[in-house]
mmCIF file of all heavy atoms in Angstrom:
data_model
loop_
_atom_site.group_PDB
_atom_site.id
_atom_site.type_symbol
_atom_site.label_atom_id
_atom_site.label_comp_id
_atom_site.label_asym_id
_atom_site.label_seq_id
_atom_site.Cartn_x
_atom_site.Cartn_y
_atom_site.Cartn_z
ATOM 1 N N GLY A 1 0.820 -1.212 0.000
ATOM 2 C CA GLY A 1 0.000 0.000 0.000
ATOM 3 C C GLY A 1 0.853 1.260 0.000
ATOM 4 O O GLY A 1 0.541 2.242 -0.678
ATOM 5 N N THR A 2 1.940 1.227 0.752
ATOM 6 C CA THR A 2 2.861 2.363 0.777
ATOM 7 C C THR A 2 3.487 2.577 -0.601
ATOM 8 O O THR A 2 3.600 3.721 -1.068
ATOM 9 C CB THR A 2 3.954 2.138 1.838
ATOM 10 O OG1 THR A 2 3.329 1.938 3.098
ATOM 11 C CG2 THR A 2 4.899 3.317 1.908
ATOM 12 N N ILE A 3 3.878 1.481 -1.256
ATOM 13 C CA ILE A 3 4.442 1.586 -2.601
ATOM 14 C C ILE A 3 3.402 2.147 -3.566
ATOM 15 O O ILE A 3 3.714 2.994 -4.418
ATOM 16 C CB ILE A 3 4.956 0.212 -3.086
ATOM 17 C CG1 ILE A 3 6.132 -0.251 -2.242
ATOM 18 C CG2 ILE A 3 5.342 0.244 -4.552
ATOM 19 C CD1 ILE A 3 7.358 0.609 -2.338
ATOM 20 N N LEU A 4 2.148 1.707 -3.425
ATOM 21 C CA LEU A 4 1.077 2.202 -4.289
ATOM 22 C C LEU A 4 0.878 3.710 -4.111
ATOM 23 O O LEU A 4 0.796 4.456 -5.098
ATOM 24 C CB LEU A 4 -0.226 1.453 -3.994
ATOM 25 C CG LEU A 4 -1.434 1.844 -4.829
ATOM 26 C CD1 LEU A 4 -1.219 1.470 -6.298
ATOM 27 C CD2 LEU A 4 -2.689 1.170 -4.302
ATOM 28 N N ILE A 5 0.832 4.160 -2.881
ATOM 29 C CA ILE A 5 0.653 5.598 -2.617
ATOM 30 C C ILE A 5 1.861 6.384 -3.113
ATOM 31 O O ILE A 5 1.721 7.441 -3.742
ATOM 32 C CB ILE A 5 0.403 5.845 -1.116
ATOM 33 C CG1 ILE A 5 -0.959 5.269 -0.718
ATOM 34 C CG2 ILE A 5 0.463 7.332 -0.782
ATOM 35 C CD1 ILE A 5 -1.202 5.230 0.779
ATOM 36 N N TYR A 6 3.067 5.886 -2.844
ATOM 37 C CA TYR A 6 4.283 6.579 -3.296
ATOM 38 C C TYR A 6 4.308 6.703 -4.817
ATOM 39 O O TYR A 6 4.550 7.787 -5.356
ATOM 40 C CB TYR A 6 5.536 5.852 -2.809
ATOM 41 C CG TYR A 6 6.790 6.389 -3.453
ATOM 42 C CD1 TYR A 6 7.301 7.627 -3.076
ATOM 43 C CD2 TYR A 6 7.439 5.693 -4.463
ATOM 44 C CE1 TYR A 6 8.435 8.141 -3.684
ATOM 45 C CE2 TYR A 6 8.565 6.200 -5.070
ATOM 46 C CZ TYR A 6 9.059 7.421 -4.676
ATOM 47 O OH TYR A 6 10.162 7.932 -5.286
ATOM 48 N N LEU A 7 4.067 5.591 -5.513
ATOM 49 C CA LEU A 7 4.112 5.635 -6.977
ATOM 50 C C LEU A 7 3.006 6.512 -7.538
ATOM 51 O O LEU A 7 3.221 7.233 -8.518
ATOM 52 C CB LEU A 7 4.020 4.225 -7.551
ATOM 53 C CG LEU A 7 5.263 3.364 -7.403
ATOM 54 C CD1 LEU A 7 4.993 1.952 -7.889
ATOM 55 C CD2 LEU A 7 6.424 3.973 -8.146
ATOM 56 N N GLY A 8 1.832 6.457 -6.932
ATOM 57 C CA GLY A 8 0.743 7.310 -7.396
ATOM 58 C C GLY A 8 1.103 8.787 -7.274
ATOM 59 O O GLY A 8 0.943 9.563 -8.214
ATOM 60 N N CYS A 9 1.625 9.175 -6.115
ATOM 61 C CA CYS A 9 2.014 10.581 -5.908
ATOM 62 C C CYS A 9 3.206 10.966 -6.793
ATOM 63 O O CYS A 9 3.250 12.073 -7.341
ATOM 64 C CB CYS A 9 2.349 10.819 -4.442
ATOM 65 S SG CYS A 9 0.930 10.715 -3.348
ATOM 66 N N ALA A 10 4.160 10.063 -6.923
ATOM 67 C CA ALA A 10 5.348 10.358 -7.739
ATOM 68 C C ALA A 10 4.972 10.548 -9.201
ATOM 69 O O ALA A 10 5.472 11.461 -9.867
ATOM 70 C CB ALA A 10 6.369 9.234 -7.601
ATOM 71 N N ASN A 11 4.086 9.705 -9.705
ATOM 72 C CA ASN A 11 3.707 9.808 -11.114
ATOM 73 C C ASN A 11 2.813 11.013 -11.379
ATOM 74 O O ASN A 11 2.877 11.600 -12.459
ATOM 75 C CB ASN A 11 3.020 8.521 -11.567
ATOM 76 C CG ASN A 11 3.963 7.341 -11.579
ATOM 77 O OD1 ASN A 11 5.174 7.506 -11.554
ATOM 78 N ND2 ASN A 11 3.417 6.151 -11.599
ATOM 79 N N ILE A 12 2.012 11.408 -10.421
ATOM 80 C CA ILE A 12 1.138 12.574 -10.587
ATOM 81 C C ILE A 12 1.927 13.881 -10.516
ATOM 82 O O ILE A 12 1.490 14.902 -11.032
ATOM 83 C CB ILE A 12 0.009 12.552 -9.527
ATOM 84 C CG1 ILE A 12 -0.999 11.477 -9.891
ATOM 85 C CG2 ILE A 12 -0.678 13.886 -9.398
ATOM 86 C CD1 ILE A 12 -2.081 11.289 -8.858
ATOM 87 N N SER A 13 3.109 13.849 -9.918
ATOM 88 C CA SER A 13 3.885 15.081 -9.746
ATOM 89 C C SER A 13 4.202 15.764 -11.082
ATOM 90 O O SER A 13 4.440 16.969 -11.119
ATOM 91 C CB SER A 13 5.177 14.804 -8.979
ATOM 92 O OG SER A 13 6.058 14.020 -9.747
ATOM 93 N N GLY A 14 4.201 15.019 -12.180
ATOM 94 C CA GLY A 14 4.445 15.622 -13.489
ATOM 95 C C GLY A 14 3.362 16.607 -13.889
ATOM 96 O O GLY A 14 3.604 17.537 -14.658
ATOM 97 N N PHE A 15 2.152 16.429 -13.371
ATOM 98 C CA PHE A 15 1.051 17.350 -13.669
ATOM 99 C C PHE A 15 1.358 18.745 -13.132
ATOM 100 O O PHE A 15 0.936 19.743 -13.702
ATOM 101 C CB PHE A 15 -0.252 16.826 -13.062
ATOM 102 C CG PHE A 15 -1.441 17.679 -13.367
ATOM 103 C CD1 PHE A 15 -2.041 17.609 -14.611
ATOM 104 C CD2 PHE A 15 -1.965 18.546 -12.430
ATOM 105 C CE1 PHE A 15 -3.137 18.396 -14.913
ATOM 106 C CE2 PHE A 15 -3.056 19.329 -12.713
ATOM 107 C CZ PHE A 15 -3.647 19.253 -13.969
ATOM 108 N N PHE A 16 2.089 18.813 -12.049
ATOM 109 C CA PHE A 16 2.423 20.095 -11.417
ATOM 110 C C PHE A 16 3.768 20.621 -11.891
ATOM 111 O O PHE A 16 4.404 21.406 -11.210
ATOM 112 C CB PHE A 16 2.402 19.924 -9.895
ATOM 113 C CG PHE A 16 1.084 19.431 -9.388
ATOM 114 C CD1 PHE A 16 0.932 18.115 -8.974
ATOM 115 C CD2 PHE A 16 -0.019 20.260 -9.374
ATOM 116 C CE1 PHE A 16 -0.287 17.647 -8.526
ATOM 117 C CE2 PHE A 16 -1.241 19.807 -8.933
ATOM 118 C CZ PHE A 16 -1.379 18.500 -8.510
ATOM 119 N N ARG A 17 4.193 20.139 -13.074
ATOM 120 C CA ARG A 17 5.416 20.572 -13.754
ATOM 121 C C ARG A 17 6.676 20.226 -12.973
ATOM 122 O O ARG A 17 7.716 20.874 -13.113
ATOM 123 C CB ARG A 17 5.389 22.076 -14.063
ATOM 124 C CG ARG A 17 4.191 22.551 -14.858
ATOM 125 C CD ARG A 17 3.931 21.847 -16.148
ATOM 126 N NE ARG A 17 5.060 21.938 -17.049
ATOM 127 C CZ ARG A 17 5.319 21.070 -18.002
ATOM 128 N NH1 ARG A 17 4.532 20.043 -18.183
ATOM 129 N NH2 ARG A 17 6.363 21.203 -18.782
ATOM 130 N N ALA A 18 6.602 19.222 -12.120
ATOM 131 C CA ALA A 18 7.781 18.712 -11.423
ATOM 132 C C ALA A 18 8.246 17.455 -12.156
ATOM 133 O O ALA A 18 7.458 16.765 -12.786
ATOM 134 C CB ALA A 18 7.442 18.389 -9.973
ATOM 135 N N LYS A 19 9.508 17.174 -12.063
ATOM 136 C CA LYS A 19 10.044 15.971 -12.701
ATOM 137 C C LYS A 19 9.661 14.758 -11.843
ATOM 138 O O LYS A 19 10.007 14.699 -10.663
ATOM 139 C CB LYS A 19 11.561 16.090 -12.797
ATOM 140 C CG LYS A 19 12.233 14.900 -13.396
ATOM 141 C CD LYS A 19 13.738 15.120 -13.425
ATOM 142 C CE LYS A 19 14.430 13.780 -13.387
ATOM 143 N NZ LYS A 19 15.849 13.893 -13.180
ATOM 144 N N PRO A 20 8.945 13.794 -12.417
ATOM 145 C CA PRO A 20 8.559 12.617 -11.624
ATOM 146 C C PRO A 20 9.789 11.813 -11.200
ATOM 147 O O PRO A 20 10.679 11.563 -12.016
ATOM 148 C CB PRO A 20 7.696 11.788 -12.580
ATOM 149 C CG PRO A 20 7.436 12.641 -13.763
ATOM 150 C CD PRO A 20 8.432 13.743 -13.775
ATOM 151 N N PRO A 21 9.868 11.413 -9.936
ATOM 152 C CA PRO A 21 11.016 10.617 -9.485
ATOM 153 C C PRO A 21 11.134 9.293 -10.235
ATOM 154 O O PRO A 21 12.233 8.784 -10.417
ATOM 155 C CB PRO A 21 10.747 10.367 -8.006
ATOM 156 C CG PRO A 21 9.654 11.276 -7.622
ATOM 157 C CD PRO A 21 8.953 11.709 -8.849
ATOM 158 N N THR A 22 10.014 8.754 -10.679
ATOM 159 C CA THR A 22 10.036 7.469 -11.377
ATOM 160 C C THR A 22 10.559 7.601 -12.803
ATOM 161 O O THR A 22 10.669 6.602 -13.506
ATOM 162 C CB THR A 22 8.637 6.842 -11.379
ATOM 163 O OG1 THR A 22 7.679 7.812 -11.781
ATOM 164 C CG2 THR A 22 8.282 6.323 -10.010
ATOM 165 N N LYS A 23 10.878 8.820 -13.213
ATOM 166 C CA LYS A 23 11.523 9.037 -14.509
ATOM 167 C C LYS A 23 13.008 8.674 -14.443
ATOM 168 O O LYS A 23 13.658 8.503 -15.456
ATOM 169 C CB LYS A 23 11.344 10.498 -14.921
ATOM 170 C CG LYS A 23 11.858 10.827 -16.296
ATOM 171 C CD LYS A 23 11.658 12.298 -16.571
ATOM 172 C CE LYS A 23 12.646 12.779 -17.570
ATOM 173 N NZ LYS A 23 13.889 13.277 -17.030
ATOM 174 N N ASP A 24 13.514 8.513 -13.236
ATOM 175 C CA ASP A 24 14.907 8.126 -13.019
ATOM 176 C C ASP A 24 14.981 6.605 -12.884
ATOM 177 O O ASP A 24 14.266 5.998 -12.084
ATOM 178 C CB ASP A 24 15.431 8.793 -11.749
ATOM 179 C CG ASP A 24 16.900 8.534 -11.514
ATOM 180 O OD1 ASP A 24 17.545 7.878 -12.355
ATOM 181 O OD2 ASP A 24 17.411 9.001 -10.480
ATOM 182 N N LEU A 25 15.837 5.992 -13.666
ATOM 183 C CA LEU A 25 15.978 4.535 -13.660
ATOM 184 C C LEU A 25 16.408 4.011 -12.291
ATOM 185 O O LEU A 25 16.036 2.908 -11.900
ATOM 186 C CB LEU A 25 16.969 4.100 -14.740
ATOM 187 C CG LEU A 25 17.120 2.606 -14.966
ATOM 188 C CD1 LEU A 25 15.792 1.977 -15.350
ATOM 189 C CD2 LEU A 25 18.158 2.343 -16.040
ATOM 190 N N ASN A 26 17.167 4.787 -11.538
ATOM 191 C CA ASN A 26 17.621 4.345 -10.219
ATOM 192 C C ASN A 26 16.461 4.141 -9.249
ATOM 193 O O ASN A 26 16.477 3.217 -8.439
ATOM 194 C CB ASN A 26 18.616 5.344 -9.628
ATOM 195 C CG ASN A 26 19.882 5.420 -10.425
ATOM 196 O OD1 ASN A 26 20.423 4.407 -10.842
ATOM 197 N ND2 ASN A 26 20.347 6.634 -10.669
ATOM 198 N N VAL A 27 15.459 5.002 -9.331
ATOM 199 C CA VAL A 27 14.299 4.876 -8.450
ATOM 200 C C VAL A 27 13.515 3.620 -8.786
ATOM 201 O O VAL A 27 13.169 2.834 -7.894
ATOM 202 C CB VAL A 27 13.399 6.134 -8.552
ATOM 203 C CG1 VAL A 27 12.109 5.943 -7.774
ATOM 204 C CG2 VAL A 27 14.142 7.357 -8.055
ATOM 205 N N THR A 28 13.229 3.406 -10.060
ATOM 206 C CA THR A 28 12.450 2.228 -10.436
ATOM 207 C C THR A 28 13.248 0.946 -10.193
ATOM 208 O O THR A 28 12.673 -0.065 -9.784
ATOM 209 C CB THR A 28 11.996 2.307 -11.902
ATOM 210 O OG1 THR A 28 13.132 2.410 -12.760
ATOM 211 C CG2 THR A 28 11.083 3.486 -12.122
ATOM 212 N N ALA A 29 14.559 0.988 -10.405
ATOM 213 C CA ALA A 29 15.385 -0.194 -10.123
ATOM 214 C C ALA A 29 15.407 -0.480 -8.625
ATOM 215 O O ALA A 29 15.327 -1.648 -8.214
ATOM 216 C CB ALA A 29 16.805 0.015 -10.640
ATOM 217 N N GLY A 30 15.499 0.553 -7.811
ATOM 218 C CA GLY A 30 15.463 0.364 -6.360
ATOM 219 C C GLY A 30 14.152 -0.256 -5.901
ATOM 220 O O GLY A 30 14.143 -1.176 -5.073
ATOM 221 N N LEU A 31 13.044 0.232 -6.441
ATOM 222 C CA LEU A 31 11.746 -0.347 -6.097
ATOM 223 C C LEU A 31 11.642 -1.802 -6.545
ATOM 224 O O LEU A 31 11.098 -2.645 -5.835
ATOM 225 C CB LEU A 31 10.612 0.473 -6.721
ATOM 226 C CG LEU A 31 10.373 1.849 -6.120
ATOM 227 C CD1 LEU A 31 9.412 2.645 -6.988
ATOM 228 C CD2 LEU A 31 9.839 1.720 -4.715
ATOM 229 N N ALA A 32 12.174 -2.091 -7.717
ATOM 230 C CA ALA A 32 12.132 -3.465 -8.221
ATOM 231 C C ALA A 32 13.001 -4.394 -7.384
ATOM 232 O O ALA A 32 12.614 -5.538 -7.119
ATOM 233 C CB ALA A 32 12.567 -3.493 -9.680
ATOM 234 N N ILE A 33 14.155 -3.924 -6.945
ATOM 235 C CA ILE A 33 15.034 -4.752 -6.110
ATOM 236 C C ILE A 33 14.389 -5.002 -4.747
ATOM 237 O O ILE A 33 14.436 -6.127 -4.219
ATOM 238 C CB ILE A 33 16.422 -4.102 -5.978
ATOM 239 C CG1 ILE A 33 17.153 -4.189 -7.319
ATOM 240 C CG2 ILE A 33 17.243 -4.761 -4.870
ATOM 241 C CD1 ILE A 33 18.418 -3.366 -7.396
ATOM 242 N N ILE A 34 13.771 -3.977 -4.184
ATOM 243 C CA ILE A 34 13.060 -4.163 -2.922
ATOM 244 C C ILE A 34 11.936 -5.181 -3.101
ATOM 245 O O ILE A 34 11.725 -6.049 -2.246
ATOM 246 C CB ILE A 34 12.512 -2.813 -2.406
ATOM 247 C CG1 ILE A 34 13.652 -1.913 -1.963
ATOM 248 C CG2 ILE A 34 11.538 -3.031 -1.252
ATOM 249 C CD1 ILE A 34 13.241 -0.489 -1.672
ATOM 250 N N SER A 35 11.237 -5.095 -4.219
ATOM 251 C CA SER A 35 10.169 -6.062 -4.498
ATOM 252 C C SER A 35 10.732 -7.470 -4.636
ATOM 253 O O SER A 35 10.121 -8.438 -4.163
ATOM 254 C CB SER A 35 9.415 -5.670 -5.770
ATOM 255 O OG SER A 35 8.739 -4.456 -5.583
ATOM 256 N N LEU A 36 11.893 -7.603 -5.274
ATOM 257 C CA LEU A 36 12.527 -8.914 -5.411
ATOM 258 C C LEU A 36 12.833 -9.504 -4.038
ATOM 259 O O LEU A 36 12.524 -10.669 -3.774
ATOM 260 C CB LEU A 36 13.819 -8.809 -6.231
ATOM 261 C CG LEU A 36 14.695 -10.061 -6.258
ATOM 262 C CD1 LEU A 36 14.011 -11.181 -7.017
ATOM 263 C CD2 LEU A 36 16.047 -9.739 -6.859
ATOM 264 N N PHE A 37 13.426 -8.705 -3.157
ATOM 265 C CA PHE A 37 13.733 -9.203 -1.818
ATOM 266 C C PHE A 37 12.463 -9.564 -1.051
ATOM 267 O O PHE A 37 12.447 -10.542 -0.305
ATOM 268 C CB PHE A 37 14.573 -8.191 -1.030
ATOM 269 C CG PHE A 37 16.001 -8.143 -1.468
ATOM 270 C CD1 PHE A 37 16.583 -6.936 -1.825
ATOM 271 C CD2 PHE A 37 16.769 -9.298 -1.545
ATOM 272 C CE1 PHE A 37 17.908 -6.885 -2.232
ATOM 273 C CE2 PHE A 37 18.087 -9.263 -1.951
ATOM 274 C CZ PHE A 37 18.669 -8.049 -2.297
ATOM 275 N N LEU A 38 11.405 -8.795 -1.239
ATOM 276 C CA LEU A 38 10.141 -9.102 -0.571
ATOM 277 C C LEU A 38 9.545 -10.405 -1.094
ATOM 278 O O LEU A 38 9.016 -11.210 -0.320
ATOM 279 C CB LEU A 38 9.151 -7.955 -0.751
ATOM 280 C CG LEU A 38 7.834 -8.115 0.008
ATOM 281 C CD1 LEU A 38 8.075 -8.119 1.512
ATOM 282 C CD2 LEU A 38 6.878 -7.013 -0.374
ATOM 283 N N ILE A 39 9.640 -10.630 -2.380
ATOM 284 C CA ILE A 39 9.133 -11.869 -2.974
ATOM 285 C C ILE A 39 9.913 -13.067 -2.434
ATOM 286 O O ILE A 39 9.326 -14.081 -2.039
ATOM 287 C CB ILE A 39 9.210 -11.795 -4.511
ATOM 288 C CG1 ILE A 39 8.231 -10.752 -5.046
ATOM 289 C CG2 ILE A 39 8.926 -13.150 -5.141
ATOM 290 C CD1 ILE A 39 8.484 -10.345 -6.483
ATOM 291 N N ILE A 40 11.236 -12.959 -2.390
ATOM 292 C CA ILE A 40 12.067 -14.044 -1.866
ATOM 293 C C ILE A 40 11.776 -14.259 -0.376
ATOM 294 O O ILE A 40 11.592 -15.395 0.083
ATOM 295 C CB ILE A 40 13.564 -13.757 -2.101
ATOM 296 C CG1 ILE A 40 13.875 -13.786 -3.597
ATOM 297 C CG2 ILE A 40 14.441 -14.750 -1.348
ATOM 298 C CD1 ILE A 40 15.262 -13.286 -3.946
ATOM 299 N N TYR A 41 11.705 -13.160 0.385
ATOM 300 C CA TYR A 41 11.435 -13.265 1.817
ATOM 301 C C TYR A 41 10.093 -13.929 2.083
ATOM 302 O O TYR A 41 9.976 -14.773 2.975
ATOM 303 C CB TYR A 41 11.476 -11.880 2.471
ATOM 304 C CG TYR A 41 10.950 -11.902 3.883
ATOM 305 C CD1 TYR A 41 11.739 -12.359 4.932
ATOM 306 C CD2 TYR A 41 9.650 -11.492 4.167
ATOM 307 C CE1 TYR A 41 11.253 -12.400 6.226
ATOM 308 C CE2 TYR A 41 9.154 -11.532 5.459
ATOM 309 C CZ TYR A 41 9.950 -11.985 6.478
ATOM 310 O OH TYR A 41 9.469 -12.032 7.757
ATOM 311 N N SER A 42 9.081 -13.544 1.319
ATOM 312 C CA SER A 42 7.746 -14.116 1.551
ATOM 313 C C SER A 42 7.742 -15.612 1.299
ATOM 314 O O SER A 42 7.104 -16.372 2.035
ATOM 315 C CB SER A 42 6.700 -13.412 0.688
ATOM 316 O OG SER A 42 6.932 -13.647 -0.681
ATOM 317 N N GLY A 43 8.462 -16.062 0.276
ATOM 318 C CA GLY A 43 8.549 -17.493 0.003
ATOM 319 C C GLY A 43 9.293 -18.243 1.094
ATOM 320 O O GLY A 43 8.872 -19.317 1.526
ATOM 321 N N ILE A 44 10.405 -17.679 1.559
ATOM 322 C CA ILE A 44 11.176 -18.324 2.624
ATOM 323 C C ILE A 44 10.382 -18.318 3.927
ATOM 324 O O ILE A 44 10.374 -19.308 4.666
ATOM 325 C CB ILE A 44 12.547 -17.633 2.796
ATOM 326 C CG1 ILE A 44 13.415 -17.882 1.562
ATOM 327 C CG2 ILE A 44 13.254 -18.110 4.056
ATOM 328 C CD1 ILE A 44 14.705 -17.099 1.541
#
């Protein structure tokens, strides 16, 4: 839920003429890596 709210707010920020954080590959890669660890952790 936190990821959903963060991504929603980050992606909407472009409407207010701000650069969306998710436009940076490092942010999306960080979120994906965190998701990978969560997927592995949940299985273990």
Side-chain angles (χ1 to χ4, degrees):
T2 303
I3 294 296
L4 181 66
I5 292 170
Y6 170 74
L7 287 174
C9 292
N11 293 343
I12 287 175
S13 68
F15 182 78
F16 303 105
R17 305 306 302 155
K19 178 181 153 190
T22 48
K23 185 181 154 270
D24 185 3
L25 186 59
N26 295 317
V27 173
T28 59
L31 289 169
I33 290 169
I34 291 170
S35 295
L36 170 68
F37 285 127
L38 185 64
I39 292 165
I40 293 170
Y41 169 79
S42 65
I44 292 172

